[in-house]
C-alpha cells in the first residue's frame, strides 16, 4: 500500500465525526500522527501561539516509501500531540455535554465520516507521476474538503450510499470516550515529569479495559441489540488503533503481554464476526454496513508500527479476517481502505495459495474467547461502560 515519503504529512486522521465545538481538537487530531513518518502536517488552527498546522490519519504504506523517525522525533511529536489536545480539553467543560445536541441520533444508525487523508494520499501516490498532485496541493485540497460548509460529515449514510466511510453513532461515542481517557495516560498532558514507561503502561491498561468492556458485552445473553453493541465496540477498538498514537504502548518492555493483547484484539474481531454469522447477518447486504471497512482497519493498523516487527510480533488472524470477508461476499477493494486488494494479494502470495471463504458452520464461541481472555486481562482498573 502506498506512501509515506519524507515530505508527506502525518497520516493521523480522526475518521469519525466530531461536533463543531471541538473543531480545533478535531483538526489537531486529524493531522498529527506521532511516530509514523517525519513530515510537516497540513495547516490547522491552534489555541496557543505556535504556528498553525493540521494532520491526517495513520494509514497503510509500503516499506519502500515509509518515512523514518528517530526516538527523539517520536517523543517530540507525541508531546506536541498531547499539548494540542490539552489546550482544547482544559476549558473545564465536560466532553459529553458538547454532544448533547446530537443525542437524537440513532444508536446503531450509520453516519458519514470524512475519507481519511492517508487514503487519499495513497491513491495519489499510485497514480502516474505526471498525474500526481504534490503534497502541498494535496493538503490544501483536503483542508478545503473537511472545512466545506456542505461537507459530508455526520450526514445519514442512507443519504449517501456511495460513501464507504461510515460508522455507527454508538461506535463514535465509544471511541470519543476512549480517546479522552487515552490522553489521561500521558504525563505530558499534565506537565508531569515521570518515568517514560508510565504512558505506555497506562495505554496498556486502557486497551485492556476496552477489551474487558467487549468481554462484558460478550457474556450477556445474545439479542439483536447485543450483537450490534458487540460490533460497535469492536469497530471502536479498530478505530482507536488507527487514530491514537500507540508508540508509547508498543515501546513498553513486555513482549509477552503485548503479544497477548494484540492476539485478543484479533480474537475479539473474529468472535464478533462469528456472532454476526450465527445471526445470519454476515452478508454484503447486511445492516452492519461497515463490515469491510472495519476489517481493513484491522488488516493495516499494525503495519504502521515497525517496532512490532522489530520485536518479532506479527498481527495474527489476518487470513481469518479476510476469509470472513470473502464468506460475506464483501469486496474489500470496494468496501475498505485504498490498496487493500494489494495487501490481500501479498498475503496470498506469501502463503502460496489463495485465501478461501471461511469454511464450516458458525458455532458458539468458535474462536475460544472465553478460554483465551484470562490473560492478560487479569487486573482491570475499570470495566464500566465508558459512556
Amino acid at each position: 500500500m502506498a506512501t509515506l515519503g519524507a515530505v508527506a504529512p502525518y497520516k493521523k486522521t480522526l475518521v469519525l465525526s466530531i461536533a463543531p465545538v471541538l473543531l480545533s481538537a478535531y483538526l489537531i487530531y486529524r493531522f498529527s500522527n506521532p511516530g509514523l513518518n517525519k513530515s510537516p502536517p497540513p495547516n490547522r488552527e491552534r489555541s496557543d501561539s505556535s504556528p498553525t498546522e493540521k494532520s491526517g490519519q495513520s494509514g497503510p504504506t509500503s516499506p519502500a516509501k515509509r518515512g523514518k523517525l528517530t526516538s527523539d522525533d517520536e517523543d517530540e511529536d507525541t508531546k506536541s500531540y498531547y499539548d494540542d489536545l490539552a489546550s482544547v480539553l482544559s476549558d473545564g467543560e465536560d466532553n459529553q455535554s458538547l454532544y448533547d445536541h446530537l443525542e437524537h441520533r440513532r444508536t446503531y444508525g450509520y453516519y458519514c465520516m470524512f475519507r481519511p487523508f492517508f487514503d487519499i494520499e495513497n491513491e495519489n501516490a499510485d497514480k502516474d507521476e505526471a498525474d500526481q498532485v504534490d503534497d502541498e496541493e494535496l493538503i490544501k485540497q483536503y483542508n478545503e474538503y473537511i472545512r466545506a460548509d456542505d461537507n459530508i460529515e455526520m450526514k445519514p449514510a442512507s443519504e449517501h450510499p456511495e460513501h464507504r466511510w461510515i460508522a455507527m453513532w454508538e461506535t463514535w461515542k465509544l471511541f470519543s470516550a476512549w480517546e479522552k481517557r487515552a490522553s489521561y495516560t500521558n504525563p505530558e498532558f499534565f506537565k508531569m515529569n515521570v518515568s517514560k514507561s508510565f504512558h505506555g503502561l497506562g495505554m496498556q491498561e486502557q486497551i485492556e479495559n476496552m477489551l474487558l468492556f467487549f468481554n462484558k458485552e460478550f457474556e450477556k445473553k445474545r439479542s439483536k441489540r447485543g450483537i450490534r453493541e458487540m460490533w460497535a465496540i469492536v469497530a471502536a477498538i479498530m478505530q482507536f488503533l488507527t487514530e491514537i498514537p500507540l508508540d508509547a504502548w508498543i515501546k513498553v518492555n513486555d513482549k509477552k503481554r503485548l503479544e497477548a493483547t494484540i492476539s485478543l484484539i484479533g480474537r475479539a474481531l473474529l468472535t464478533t464476526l462469528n456472532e454476526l454469522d450465527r445471526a445470519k447477518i454476515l452478508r454484503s447486504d447486511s445492516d452492519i454496513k461497515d463490515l469491510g471497512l472495519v476489517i481493513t482497519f484491522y488488516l493495516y493498523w499494525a503495519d504502521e508500527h515497525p517496532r512490532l516487527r522489530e520485536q518479532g510480533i506479527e498481527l495474527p488472524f489476518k487470513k481469518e479476517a479476510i476469509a470472513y470477508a470473502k464468506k460475506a461476499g464483501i469486496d474489500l477493494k470496494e468496501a475498505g481502505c485504498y490498496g487493500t486488494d494489494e495487501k490481500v494479494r501479498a498475503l496470498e502470495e506469501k502463503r502460496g495459495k489463495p485465501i478461501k471463504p471461511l469454511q464450516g458452520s458458525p458455532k458458539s464461541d468458535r474462536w475460544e474467547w472465553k478460554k483465551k481472555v484470562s490473560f492478560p486481562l487479569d487486573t482491570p482498573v475499570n470495566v464500566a461502560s465508558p459512556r
Side-chain angles (χ1 to χ4, degrees):
M1 306 199 41
T3 163
L4 288 184
V7 295
Y10 288 124
K11 301 187 167 47
K12 177 76 189 120
T13 308
L14 232 180
V15 173
L16 295 172
S17 168
I18 295 185
V21 290
L22 279 186
L23 179 59
S24 295
Y26 183 28
L27 297 178
I28 287 167
Y29 248 138
R30 182 174 294 280
F31 297 104
S32 64
N33 184 20
L36 289 185
N37 47 306
K38 185 177 182 181
S39 50
N43 294 331
R44 60 171 162 80
E45 297 180 1
R46 294 182 54 158
S47 57
D48 55 23
S49 59
S50 52
T52 58
E53 295 178 324
K54 250 184 159 180
S55 110
Q57 169 190 0
S58 62
T61 64
S62 62
K65 296 182 180 179
R66 184 182 299 278
K68 296 184 181 298
L69 277 183
T70 66
S71 295
D72 289 342
D73 291 328
E74 292 174 350
D75 292 342
E76 182 60 29
D77 289 335
T78 302
K79 180 180 184 298
S80 176
Y81 170 89
Y82 282 102
D83 283 346
D84 290 336
L85 185 58
S87 71
V88 176
L89 297 182
S90 60
D91 60 1
E93 288 196 48
D94 178 77
N95 268 9
Q96 186 57 46
S97 66
L98 299 175
Y99 305 112
D100 286 345
H101 67 293
L102 297 176
E103 285 303 314
H104 66 280
R105 297 183 183 275
R106 292 167 46 235
T107 300
Y108 303 113
Y110 279 91
Y111 299 90
C112 295
M113 53 195 184
F114 292 134
R115 182 185 180 186
F117 182 79
F118 81 81
D119 202 66
I120 294 172
E121 190 181 33
N122 284 339
E123 182 177 11
N124 182 62
D126 279 354
K127 295 179 180 178
D128 293 337
E129 187 172 351
D131 297 327
Q132 291 182 5
V133 177
D134 64 40
D135 295 319
E136 185 175 349
E137 178 62 24
L138 201 64
I139 293 167
K140 178 182 177 181
Q141 291 177 7
Y142 193 72
N143 289 342
E144 293 173 352
Y145 165 61
I146 65 174
R147 291 178 173 178
D149 291 337
D150 61 346
N151 70 62
I152 201 167
E153 187 179 38
M154 291 309 287
K155 293 181 179 178
S158 59
E159 297 177 4
H160 302 273
E162 77 291 345
H163 189 74
R164 74 180 71 175
W165 305 100
I166 60 175
M168 285 181 178
W169 177 235
E170 178 72 352
T171 294
W172 162 234
K173 291 197 296 181
L174 289 168
F175 172 80
S176 297
W178 292 341
E179 169 210 33
K180 182 177 179 181
R181 292 185 180 188
S183 71
Y184 297 162
T185 69
N186 189 349
E188 291 289 346
F189 190 88
F190 303 99
K191 309 299 183 183
M192 295 170 59
N193 184 18
V194 296
S195 169
K196 286 188 176 181
S197 63
F198 184 95
H199 184 194
L201 292 172
M203 288 293 290
Q204 173 67 36
E205 183 176 85
Q206 166 71 22
I207 293 169
E208 288 185 5
N209 284 335
M210 288 156 52
L211 289 168
L212 279 162
F213 186 54
F214 169 81
N215 184 61
K216 184 178 179 181
E217 190 63 40
F218 174 81
E219 290 179 341
K220 295 179 182 179
K221 184 177 180 180
R222 291 292 174 270
S223 65
K224 181 177 180 179
R225 188 217 67 83
I227 292 172
R228 283 154 180 77
E229 182 67 21
M230 283 179 65
W231 180 255
I233 294 169
V234 163
I237 291 173
M238 300 309 151
Q239 193 68 39
F240 185 95
L241 294 173
T242 60
E243 298 298 340
I244 304 301
L246 300 176
D247 290 300
W249 172 50
I250 292 170
K251 287 191 287 188
V252 170
N253 187 25
D254 192 342
K255 180 180 177 181
K256 182 178 180 182
R257 195 177 186 89
L258 185 60
E259 280 186 308
T261 306
I262 291 173
S263 179
L264 282 174
I265 290 169
R267 201 175 297 274
L269 173 63
L270 297 189
T271 295
T272 307
L273 290 171
N274 178 61
E275 292 301 322
L276 297 179
D277 200 6
R278 293 180 67 200
K280 302 186 185 307
I281 53 176
L282 185 79
R283 307 187 311 269
S284 59
D285 61 349
S286 169
D287 62 355
I288 306 297
K289 300 182 182 301
D290 56 343
L291 272 170
L293 183 60
V294 171
I295 288 173
T296 61
F297 283 167
Y298 176 73
L299 291 176
Y300 77 66
W301 78 265
D303 287 351
E304 293 309 305
H305 298 282
R307 290 180 186 274
L308 290 176
R309 291 191 296 276
E310 291 169 4
Q311 298 179 64
I313 299 176
E314 294 288 337
L315 183 67
F317 305 123
K318 289 187 288 187
K319 176 180 73 70
E320 290 81 1
I322 294 168
Y324 264 118
K326 291 190 174 185
K327 181 175 185 178
I330 295 172
D331 183 348
L332 293 178
K333 178 180 179 180
E334 298 298 325
C337 302
Y338 180 84
T340 299
D341 53 332
E342 297 176 13
K343 209 171 187 61
V344 173
R345 280 198 299 270
L347 183 58
E348 290 178 331
E349 289 175 3
K350 183 177 179 180
R351 297 179 70 247
K353 56 183 177 181
I355 297 173
K356 297 180 179 180
L358 190 73
Q359 302 298 308
S361 301
K363 60 181 181 179
S364 178
D365 201 13
R366 179 173 185 172
W367 301 101
E368 300 183 324
W369 174 263
K370 289 181 181 178
K371 181 178 178 180
K372 301 295 184 179
V373 77
S374 59
F375 179 82
L377 309 180
D378 50 0
T379 54
V381 170
N382 174 23
V383 296
S385 167
R387 290 165 292 169

